[in-house]
Amino acid sequence: MAFEKSLVIIFVTVACLLSVALATPGTATFYTSYVPSACYGNKDSGVMIAAASDPLWANGGICGKVFNVTCTGPTNPVPHPCTGQSVVVKIVDHCPGCGGTLDLSREAFAAIANPVAGIIKIEFNQIG
């Protein structure tokens, strides 16, 4: 039993390290009008959502993908914008020419950073 418990602890540790190691750096902004969306039209997809920037869009191939997003720091003079939390968002829209890698819903942005910052540094990785 102790051996199995040790294996579980090792597996969880490795999974966490891989998750951090595979995170992609970028920036995030936020938006407040969620419907209609480029991926789902007039269907309401909730509020833990995001729009993908041009480099991620892939002609809509990113629609429905799920990402874990973490604030890593400021991009402007707003000191210490990060809450220390991460958020899971689903890509539901496209933000052509937006100022960030991901354009988060205001609710998702507020979960990881002070909205007064407007734009933040992030790390993100696909989890679904």
Side-chain angles (χ1 to χ4, degrees), residues 52-59 62 94-98 100-102:
S53 62
D54 290 329
L56 297 176
W57 182 241
N59 288 328
I62 197 166
H94 180 209
C95 61
C98 67
T101 308
L102 292 175

Side-chain angles (χ1 to χ4, degrees), residues 50-117:
S53 62
D54 290 329
L56 297 176
W57 182 241
N59 288 328
I62 197 166
C63 287
K65 305 290 187 205
V66 179
F67 289 85
N68 186 66
V69 183
T70 304
C71 176
T72 59
T75 62
N76 56 39
V78 174
H80 315 294
C82 302
T83 65
Q85 303 295 311
S86 293
V87 68
V88 174
V89 295
K90 179 180 175 181
I91 302 296
V92 301
D93 212 345
H94 180 209
C95 61
C98 67
T101 308
L102 292 175
D103 200 16
L104 302 173
S105 66
R106 187 179 196 293
E107 292 84 352
F109 190 100
I112 63 170
N114 181 347
V116 171

